[in-house]
Amino acid sequence: MIEIKDLHKSYKMGSNSLHVLKGINFSVKEGELVAIMGSSGSGKSTLLNILGMLDELDEGSYTLDGVPIKNLNETKAAQYRNKFLGFVFQSFNLINYKSAMENVALPLYYQKVGRKERQEKALKYLEQVGLKEWATHLPNELSGGQKQRVAIARAMAAEPKVLLADEPTGALDSKTSYEVMDLIQKINDQGNTILLVTHEPDIADMCKRIVHLKDGVIIEDKKVEQVRASQYV
Amino acid sequence: MFSRDNWKEIFETIQKNKLRTFLSGFTVALGILIFVVLFGFGNGLKNTFSKFFEDDAQNIITLFPGQTSKPYKGYKSGRRIEFDNSDLEDIKTNFPIFLEYITPRISRNGLVKYKNESNNYSTRAVAPSHQIAEKTIIMKGRYLNVKDVKEKSKTAVIGRLVEKDLFGAKNAMGEYIDIGGSAFKVIGVYQDEGGDDEERRIYIPYTTRQLIEKNTDKIDQIIVAFRPELGYAGALALDKGLTEFIKNKKFINPNDQNGLYVRNVAEGLKQTQQMAFVLQMIVGFVAIGTIIAGIIGISNIMVFVVKERTKELGIRKALGATPKAVIGTILLESVFITTVFGFIGMIIGIAILNSMGDKLKDRFITDPYIDMPIAIGATVLLIVFGAIAGYIPAKRAARIKPIVALRDE
């Protein structure tokens, strides 16, 4: 599903250049649930941004579902993001003047799905995350965990190939974190590919594979026995 | 880009961001409103200036006799010039192609009596064509006619207010009034747009006045109307010709400024219209300034709006909004708001102008109005510039990487 070869990325900081990713080789198969771990500054968020086409790579190659991701213009990148990827952010990033349902329906709007169908789909995904009765509420009327579930529903609504989650539990307490992880596991159980950035070991243990990043290189890539989050909920 | 779905998305955004909508809408509406009202007032000023002259005919040259200040051909200076009936005939025969009509005027003030009522009025002894020169409107009866002049009949046409003063609610028609000791029959009542003073006058045949004044043939002033098709240039030519002719006939030194006075309405009218034009230019300048201020205002608001929405746009981009969609969203929203509020401002402005009428007449503003093409043009201008002002920050916003927009919490 994801194929990364010899990926390099550096940021220009004035006259200095900061080499963040120093040759990453990495691939993800369909249906995997991968945790990318590392301390801050290890390059894990940069990697996720490149995977999410939110940022461009300097060197190396990136293939997503057989499509080479290279030299994309803004329009093309937007279309690919819309078609291939779903995002879940640490700070939820819901649009605050839109209701839960409208937020979930937004990616479908950019897929030019008709209004009725959008609403039906949005409701379906809200139901999956257990928030159907909150459909008409605005984000500021929801708790943190509920907001993240809306964000996950939104990421799923476009039916992406890969779900990218950047510290999805970073702003949540442990109980809510486990609820969210339970949801992510269930989505993974349905066969969806998920990549998840975290620095919490217990969250990483709930994935099926852990990739450790340090100073811009992968120091460890291991399969783990998945801890089911449902036992903590 | 213009699908129904897009519009729904925009309407929802507008509805849910009322403050933002109000701010930008208010700026636009106010800008257009002030423009329309200012421009309308400019037109109102012009109207007032035109009205000063519309009261009388505008193709009039009036000749006033003066007192010479230079000796000429054996005549001493300080000689008083007088017109008489022969001058009327001479002008008629010498300037036939220029002339539309000619009338003398002899003005006297005096006591006028009817039964127990009496008052001082200005009595003008004139020829029938004076009606056209003064734009006298007959309400009852008739004006003086050629027969009255020929027979030197004692007939009088009185102003509306003269009738009101002397007769009260009674009808003056056919009654006899006493003007300076002679009885005149009232044959007509008139009104005049020139105001109360002009409706407190009495017109009698000039020949009758001359008969009363010891059968003289002297006249005070000569009013000459030129053919309107001659235009301004023709009026000046006639003005010059008449001056030369009268000075020659009355032995006035051609360089004497005091022997003869000539008042050419066309000249005054032109000056006044020029002044009104300058006034309107000034008002127009201020109005354009208002529009520019409006454009700057809407530009600022657009920059602010885009800044405020940076994060939202970043989210939209992460969810698959193309740069075109981002620009489209911002632009359509801005154009929609400026269009709606622009036309609201315009309509309110026009409503204010229409309700004004002549309420501000004392302040020299009569019937202010604005031509629709100018009002609409200004509104469209503001919409276009609002769109351009919105396009630049929108384009920048569309170029921002979502990752940058989503950063800093």
Side-chain angles (χ1 to χ4, degrees):
Chain A
M1 180 64 64
I2 290 175
E3 230 11 274
I4 281 183
K5 281 196 183 115
D6 198 26
L7 174 72
H8 285 265
K9 175 76 186 173
S10 44
Y11 289 108
K12 288 228 157 53
M13 312 279 280
S15 55
N16 298 344
S17 173
L18 189 66
H19 204 168
V20 185
L21 298 177
K22 304 165 182 168
I24 305 272
N25 287 291
F26 169 66
S27 65
V28 180
K29 289 191 193 67
E30 197 170 343
E32 278 198 283
L33 174 54
V34 184
I36 299 171
M37 285 198 76
S39 55
S40 62
S42 61
K44 57 185 192 303
S45 285
T46 308
L47 178 62
L48 197 76
N49 289 337
I50 289 172
L51 290 175
M53 290 177 242
L54 299 174
D55 213 340
E56 285 162 15
L57 51 86
D58 291 344
E59 263 177 63
S61 70
Y62 169 25
T63 316
L64 177 61
D65 197 29
V67 181
I69 307 298
K70 210 177 177 189
N71 297 333
L72 296 180
N73 62 30
E74 283 276 359
T75 310
K76 207 82 192 143
Q79 284 165 356
Y80 281 7
R81 274 198 293 271
N82 190 255
K83 212 162 92 186
F84 291 135
L85 302 168
F87 289 94
V88 176
F89 302 95
Q90 177 178 357
S91 51
F92 323 128
N93 281 336
L94 298 175
I95 291 175
N96 54 20
Y97 63 83
K98 285 183 175 289
S99 72
M101 185 181 70
E102 286 164 341
N103 264 290
V104 175
L106 200 57
L108 298 169
Y109 169 73
Y110 289 114
Q111 279 182 357
K112 312 222 184 307
V113 175
R115 190 175 186 78
K116 261 220 171 106
E117 201 187 333
R118 271 198 329 252
Q119 287 177 346
E120 281 165 15
K121 272 196 170 175
L123 277 178
K124 191 182 108 190
Y125 282 99
L126 273 178
E127 195 175 11
Q128 266 193 26
V129 301
L131 289 173
K132 197 183 179 184
E133 54 275 30
W134 295 84
T136 57
H137 288 251
L138 291 176
N140 59 15
E141 295 162 343
L142 303 174
S143 72
Q146 286 173 323
K147 279 186 211 173
Q148 196 58 296
R149 274 146 67 191
V150 172
I152 291 169
R154 183 177 67 182
M156 295 306 299
E159 284 160 10
K161 305 269 184 204
V162 178
L163 191 67
L164 299 173
D166 188 2
E167 306 254 14
T169 60
L172 305 173
D173 61 46
S174 343
K175 187 173 176 290
T176 330
S177 293
Y178 296 144
E179 280 171 15
V180 168
M181 279 315 291
D182 183 38
L183 183 61
I184 287 175
Q185 284 177 342
K186 278 177 184 156
I187 291 167
N188 177 243
D189 292 344
Q190 291 165 9
N192 294 296
T193 315
I194 301 173
L195 256 77
L196 188 150
V197 166
T198 185
H199 60 265
E200 293 164 88
D202 56 334
I203 297 296
D205 286 338
M206 291 174 179
C207 300
K208 292 174 176 168
R209 175 179 160 196
I210 299 175
V211 174
H212 257 278
L213 238 71
K214 196 177 181 187
D215 298 329
V217 289
I218 295 175
I219 54 166
E220 191 186 18
D221 186 346
K222 60 172 183 190
K223 293 228 154 93
V224 292
E225 195 59 37
Q226 189 181 33
V227 179
R228 294 302 292 191
S230 51
Q231 60 188 289
Y232 299 107
V233 177
Chain B
M1 193 165 174
F2 289 97
S3 68
R4 194 163 146 260
D5 227 24
N6 264 323
W7 283 112
K8 272 205 165 142
E9 173 75 17
I10 286 159
F11 285 142
E12 276 172 18
T13 312
I14 287 172
Q15 266 172 20
K16 285 169 184 171
N17 294 281
K18 289 204 177 70
L19 180 70
R20 193 165 78 201
T21 307
F22 175 76
L23 271 181
S24 31
F26 184 73
T27 313
V28 173
L30 194 69
I32 288 293
L33 177 78
I34 293 172
F35 173 81
V36 168
V37 170
L38 268 180
F39 204 89
F41 276 17
N43 280 331
L45 269 177
K46 213 163 82 173
N47 278 345
T48 308
F49 276 90
S50 306
K51 279 243 164 101
F52 280 151
F53 285 84
E54 266 169 27
D55 155 42
D56 298 332
Q58 286 166 24
N59 57 335
I60 296 293
I61 295 174
T62 311
L63 305 173
F64 302 86
Q67 197 171 6
T68 58
S69 59
K70 285 191 172 103
Y72 188 58
K73 288 193 175 169
Y75 289 96
K76 283 186 209 158
S77 69
R79 181 170 52 100
R80 190 165 287 285
I81 303 295
E82 281 181 314
F83 294 154
D84 58 47
N85 291 351
S86 72
D87 298 331
L88 294 177
E89 293 309 315
D90 286 347
I91 291 173
K92 268 189 214 168
T93 45
N94 280 288
F95 298 94
I97 55 156
F98 287 97
L99 244 51
E100 188 164 76
Y101 54 83
I102 183 166
T103 171
R105 180 195 277 170
I106 309 167
S107 300
R108 298 284 180 270
N109 274 312
L111 199 65
V112 177
K113 285 187 273 192
Y114 173 73
K115 290 189 177 164
N116 295 327
E117 298 291 334
S118 69
N119 207 344
N120 266 305
Y121 295 107
S122 157
T123 305
R124 282 174 163 182
V126 298
S129 52
H130 192 277
Q131 184 186 6
I132 310 164
E134 194 64 37
K135 286 197 178 168
T136 305
I137 303 153
I138 290 293
M139 297 165 70
K140 287 191 277 192
R142 63 169 177 87
Y143 201 72
L144 304 169
N145 61 21
V146 182
K147 197 162 158 255
D148 294 324
V149 172
K150 207 171 161 197
E151 295 178 355
K152 304 178 184 178
S153 62
K154 291 194 170 173
T155 49
V157 178
I158 64 173
R160 182 176 65 87
L161 295 177
V162 176
E163 184 189 35
K164 205 176 152 198
D165 292 349
L166 296 182
F167 293 86
K170 259 185 77 184
N171 191 348
M173 289 294 295
E175 298 291 326
Y176 286 84
I177 52 174
D178 181 319
I179 303 173
S182 305
F184 282 75
K185 188 181 181 186
V186 177
I187 56 161
V189 180
Y190 73 88
Q191 62 181 39
D192 195 300
E193 304 224 311
D196 288 2
D197 283 352
E198 304 234 324
E199 292 182 332
R200 284 210 162 85
R201 284 192 184 130
I202 296 168
Y203 291 107
I204 60 171
Y206 74 98
T207 47
T208 313
R209 170 61 71 197
Q210 286 174 333
L211 182 68
I212 290 168
E213 293 184 351
K214 295 168 190 157
N215 209 5
T216 175
D217 66 346
K218 300 278 179 272
I219 49 184
D220 282 358
Q221 298 157 19
I222 299 173
I223 297 167
V224 177
F226 56 86
R227 293 180 200 278
E229 59 267 29
L230 295 175
Y232 181 62
L236 283 190
L238 176 61
D239 183 334
K240 199 161 163 261
L242 280 174
T243 309
E244 268 171 25
F245 176 76
I246 296 286
K247 280 189 173 174
N248 189 38
K249 187 181 172 190
K250 304 281 178 189
F251 306 109
I252 304 168
N253 188 320
N255 299 320
D256 190 346
Q257 299 296 320
N258 299 318
L260 173 72
Y261 300 104
V262 179
R263 196 184 73 181
N264 191 341
V265 174
E267 203 168 353
L269 182 72
K270 197 177 179 189
Q271 277 175 3
T272 313
Q273 278 175 344
Q274 271 170 349
M275 186 169 156
F277 177 72
V278 170
L279 272 172
Q280 207 185 19
M281 288 286 285
I282 294 170
V283 172
F285 187 73
V286 174
I288 288 168
T290 315
I291 286 285
I292 292 173
I295 290 171
I296 293 171
I298 186 75
S299 310
N300 277 332
I301 287 171
M302 284 315 294
V303 171
F304 162 74
V305 163
V306 171
K307 183 99 188 142
E308 192 209 41
R309 295 181 75 176
T310 303
K311 192 170 168 215
E312 182 202 327
L313 297 174
I315 297 170
R316 283 173 183 270
K317 286 193 81 179
L319 296 179
T322 57
K324 221 170 110 186
V326 170
I327 294 173
T329 307
I330 293 174
L331 266 197
L332 279 189
E333 196 186 311
S334 119
V335 168
F336 181 76
I337 292 173
T338 44
T339 305
V340 169
F341 281 87
F343 279 96
I344 288 176
M346 188 185 98
I347 287 162
I348 295 175
I350 289 172
I352 289 174
L353 290 184
N354 285 346
S355 69
M356 208 74 86
D358 53 8
K359 279 179 200 154
L360 286 176
K361 211 170 179 175
D362 294 344
R363 292 184 172 78
F364 296 105
I365 292 165
T366 316
D367 296 332
Y369 72 98
I370 185 163
D371 296 314
M372 277 316 262
I374 293 177
I376 292 173
T379 312
V380 169
L381 195 75
L382 203 63
I383 293 166
V384 169
F385 276 93
I388 293 172
Y391 178 75
I392 295 163
K395 200 162 179 233
R396 201 178 306 146
R399 238 188 278 129
I400 295 175
K401 290 186 174 162
I403 188 67
V404 177
L406 294 175
R407 209 179 278 156
D408 37 65
E409 273 313 293

